[in-house]
């Protein structure tokens, strides 16, 4: 039986990914900080008699990752797939956020992935087989205010994953980067709420764009199905944009040079809202509270 480790499996993309793999016959190790809080996942696991084990693992902790991975390897041996999904998001203007915010996001979204990869890699390398799927974001290719901490962590994850793919391909280990657009998760819903009293308009404008997009939400199930497809397909393709807006967002950014991108994001409210309306049909202004 094939096996998979999924981090951050208690909700959103991680939860749906755990279910997708389990329903496809995998032995699933669904990891999260507090398995006791994963009531929805536990209930589905029991109701459908899935082969899923909930395990405590904090990707921010060397000890927690080491203990969890050792336990899995003693029980199962080398796993076939790891999905590094655990992540957090913080948003706001750079001047108005404490340095600790940037450190916290990088610790989870970047160093957390490195901890998990380093834990499974020796076993995959010895078996000359494995698949490492890192959940990044369109924000790993496009940096927009007010997502500086999040985008910086995902840019770093993209660079790490690209280098990792070069190192491990000779050992028949595949690496894939999953790049969701705006998906209906708690994280995306949090971004729609602008921070009060900011001196910078980007938080309000970007929040409006998310709010307008989430009026026609894209389910995290779509991302989960893509992750399973990539794992099952045997593809060596590195990057996988997911969602109806993911590739359009990437193409939109690619259509501008760096200076044009900066100017657009620094534009007046009227110019910015008009561009979003014309480019994506999203009435971001009407949704701002």
């Amino acid at each position: 039986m094939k096996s998979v480790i999924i981090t951050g499996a208690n909700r959103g993309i991680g939860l749906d990914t755990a279910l997708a793999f389990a329903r496809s016959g995998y032995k699933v190790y669904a990891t999260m900080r507090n398995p006791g809080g994963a009531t929805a996942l536990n209930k589905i696991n029991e109701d459908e008699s899935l082969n899923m084990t909930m395990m405590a693992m904090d990707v921010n902790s060397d000890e927690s990752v080491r203990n969890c991975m050792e336990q899995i390897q003693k029980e199962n041996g080398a796993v076939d797939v790891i999905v590094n999904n655990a992540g957090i998001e913080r948003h706001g203007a750079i001047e108005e956020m404490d340095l600790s915010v940037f450190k916290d996001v990088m610790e989870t979204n970047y160093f957390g992935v490195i901890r998990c990869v380093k834990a499974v890699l020796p076993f995959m390398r010895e078996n000359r087989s494995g698949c490492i799927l890192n959940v990044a974001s369109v924000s790993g290719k496009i940096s927009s205010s007010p997502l500086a901490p999040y985008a910086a962590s995902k840019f770093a994850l993209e660079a790490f994953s690209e280098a990792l793919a070069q190192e491990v391909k000779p050992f028949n280990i595949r690496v894939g980067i999953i790049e969701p657009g705006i998906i209906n998760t708690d994280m995306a819903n949090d971004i729609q709420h602008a921070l009060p009293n900011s001196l910078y308009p980007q938080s309000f404008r970007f929040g409006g764009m998310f709010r307008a997009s989430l009026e026609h939400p894209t389910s995290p199930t779509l991302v989960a199905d893509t992750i399973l497809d990539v794992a099952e397909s045997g593809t060596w393709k590195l990057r996988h944009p997911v969602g109806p807006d993911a590739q359009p967002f990437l193409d939109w950014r690619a259509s501008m040079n760096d200076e044009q991108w900066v100017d657009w994001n620094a534009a007046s409210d009227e110019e910015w809202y008009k561009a979003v309306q014309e480019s994506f049909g999203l009435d971001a202004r009407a949704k701002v509270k």
Side-chain angles (χ1 to χ4, degrees):
M1 177 183 292
K2 292 182 179 179
S3 55
V4 59
I5 297 170
I6 301 167
T7 69
N10 58 314
R11 61 180 181 172
I13 292 171
L15 185 151
D16 280 3
T17 301
L19 293 175
F21 275 89
R23 288 165 175 163
S24 295
Y26 279 73
K27 169 59 183 176
V28 175
Y29 294 96
T31 74
M32 59 205 73
R33 288 183 177 178
N34 178 24
T39 53
L41 188 59
N42 270 303
K43 185 175 188 308
I44 298 171
N45 186 40
E46 293 176 3
D47 290 348
E48 299 184 20
S49 299
L50 300 173
N51 194 355
M52 191 185 314
T53 301
M54 264 59 78
M55 303 189 72
M57 184 168 74
D58 179 358
V59 301
N60 290 6
S61 164
D62 293 346
E63 181 180 9
S64 179
V65 171
R66 181 174 59 252
N67 290 343
C68 182
M69 294 298 192
E70 286 178 354
Q71 185 178 344
I72 292 171
Q73 285 151 7
K74 285 179 182 178
E75 174 185 320
N76 189 84
V79 295
D80 298 286
V81 182
I82 182 168
V83 180
N84 290 301
N85 164 75
I88 61 173
E89 181 278 323
R90 302 290 184 269
H91 60 279
I94 292 170
E95 180 186 353
E96 296 169 345
M97 284 185 289
D98 192 82
L99 182 60
S100 63
V101 172
F102 294 84
K103 291 181 177 180
D104 288 345
V105 174
M106 194 65 75
E107 188 67 61
T108 300
N109 296 2
Y110 179 61
F111 291 112
V113 174
I114 296 175
R115 287 186 184 93
C116 294
V117 168
K118 288 176 71 67
V120 301
L121 199 50
F123 299 91
M124 288 185 172
R125 177 174 47 76
E126 289 173 10
N127 284 356
R128 301 188 72 84
S129 176
C131 180
I132 299 169
L133 300 178
N134 296 332
V135 180
S137 169
V138 166
S139 290
K141 302 291 288 184
I142 304 174
S143 184
S144 300
S145 175
L147 299 184
Y150 182 74
S153 71
K154 295 300 186 179
F155 266 66
L157 180 57
E158 292 258 351
F160 167 79
S161 302
E162 190 169 312
L164 177 66
Q166 299 162 33
E167 294 177 358
V168 302
K169 187 170 185 178
F171 299 99
N172 195 40
I173 300 169
R174 296 184 293 122
V175 176
I177 306 170
I178 311 300
E179 300 173 332
I182 299 177
I183 307 297
N184 188 22
T185 62
D186 291 345
M187 187 179 296
N189 279 280
D190 183 60
I191 292 172
Q192 70 172 297
H193 298 295
L195 301 179
N197 305 317
S198 176
L199 297 172
Y200 296 86
Q202 286 84 359
S203 177
F204 300 94
R205 302 192 311 204
F206 216 70
M209 185 175 73
F210 266 67
R211 198 172 298 117
S213 177
L214 289 167
E215 287 194 342
H216 304 282
T218 299
S219 171
T221 303
L222 178 64
V223 184
D225 290 344
T226 299
I227 292 171
L228 177 62
D229 288 344
V230 173
E232 292 273 82
S233 69
T235 181
W236 290 91
K237 181 181 178 183
L238 183 61
R239 289 182 168 87
H240 304 269
V242 187
D245 58 8
Q247 193 60 53
F249 274 137
L250 293 168
D251 293 343
W252 181 44
R253 172 63 181 93
S255 71
M256 305 184 207
N257 62 36
D258 293 340
E259 291 71 32
Q260 289 171 323
W261 179 247
V262 170
D263 286 346
W264 179 75
N265 281 280
S268 68
D269 284 354
E270 185 61 36
E271 293 175 292
W272 193 91
Y273 287 122
K274 181 180 178 182
V276 170
Q277 179 79 58
E278 292 177 348
S279 298
F280 298 101
L282 295 176
D283 186 3
R285 180 192 290 277
K287 311 304 174 186
V288 172
K289 296 179 181 178

